[in-house]
Amino acid sequence: NVTLTDGETFNGDLVVFGTTIIINGTVEGDLIAAGQSVTVNGTVKDDARIAGAALTISKTAIIVGDVVAGSASLETEKGSTVQGDIVVGAGQALLDGKVGDDVMAGTGSLELNGEFGGDVKAEVGDPEEGGPPMTMFFPQSGISFPSVKPGFNVGKDAKIDGNLEYT
């Protein structure tokens, strides 16, 4: 397990691998993290490149650059801020936070509830072929996954400033 504690600052690019990665402090450069679960609660002053089963950008997180993510599940919580783009390949993604620029997603299921300052381009799986819940693939891991409806869903409070393109 790797934790950057609240109030702690890492100067430069942080590269971490572990089962559970929690970033509560500040990373002054890029964050490159891979683990079973990766949670960002703090601030990343550049890009976040993250991979794992469950990825969470929490309600207190600020990513100054882009997020590039590969996962079973990506969640940006309401209150989170990604000032750049989000590029994600995932089984599912729940985007409830604020994204300053574009979103490019290739997912089995995608739910948009947040604010998006640029375009949203999404390649989303067929809801008729909706797969089993993520917990089925990780039954004894203790990882929690958000519930995302099958297919492509735009919530009533979502705001997209750019174009929306999905297939």
Side-chain angles (χ1 to χ4, degrees), residues 90-166:
Q92 67 174 29
L94 174 59
L95 304 181
D96 284 345
K98 183 177 181 179
V99 179
D101 288 326
D102 299 332
V103 172
M104 290 160 275
T107 63
S109 299
L110 177 62
E111 189 171 332
L112 303 175
N113 297 311
E115 296 179 32
F116 307 93
D119 297 335
V120 175
K121 286 185 170 185
E123 175 77 33
V124 180
D126 184 347
E128 301 299 319
E129 297 177 13
M134 288 290 132
T135 53
M136 179 180 166
F137 300 107
F138 305 93
Q140 297 175 347
S141 68
I143 298 173
S144 64
F145 296 95
S147 177
V148 178
K149 293 179 257 179
F152 180 67
N153 301 280
V154 179
K156 63 179 177 51
D157 294 328
K159 181 181 177 207
I160 301 170
D161 289 344
N163 296 314
L164 171 62
E165 179 183 326
Y166 68 95

Side-chain angles (χ1 to χ4, degrees), residues 4-164:
L4 183 66
T5 60
D6 192 23
E8 187 177 2
T9 298
F10 186 89
N11 293 311
D13 297 337
L14 177 60
V15 179
V16 291
F17 303 94
T19 303
T20 303
I21 299 165
I22 301 170
I23 305 298
N24 292 327
T26 300
V27 176
E28 288 289 340
D30 290 338
L31 170 65
I32 300 169
Q36 192 172 25
S37 69
V38 178
T39 303
V40 179
N41 298 313
T43 301
V44 176
K45 297 279 183 106
D46 205 344
D47 300 327
R49 294 174 181 90
I50 53 179
L55 307 177
T56 305
I57 310 296
S58 82
K59 63 185 178 184
T60 58
I62 299 171
I63 311 293
V64 175
D66 301 329
V67 170
V68 178
S71 66
S73 179
L74 170 67
E75 178 181 15
T76 63
E77 295 179 347
K78 185 177 177 92
S80 66
T81 300
V82 175
Q83 293 179 0
D85 298 327
I86 291 181
V87 178
V88 58
Q92 67 174 29
L94 174 59
L95 304 181
D96 284 345
K98 183 177 181 179
V99 179
D101 288 326
D102 299 332
V103 172
M104 290 160 275
T107 63
S109 299
L110 177 62
E111 189 171 332
L112 303 175
N113 297 311
E115 296 179 32
F116 307 93
D119 297 335
V120 175
K121 286 185 170 185
E123 175 77 33
V124 180
D126 184 347
E128 301 299 319
E129 297 177 13
M134 288 290 132
T135 53
M136 179 180 166
F137 300 107
F138 305 93
Q140 297 175 347
S141 68
I143 298 173
S144 64
F145 296 95
S147 177
V148 178
K149 293 179 257 179
F152 180 67
N153 301 280
V154 179
K156 63 179 177 51
D157 294 328
K159 181 181 177 207
I160 301 170
D161 289 344
N163 296 314
L164 171 62

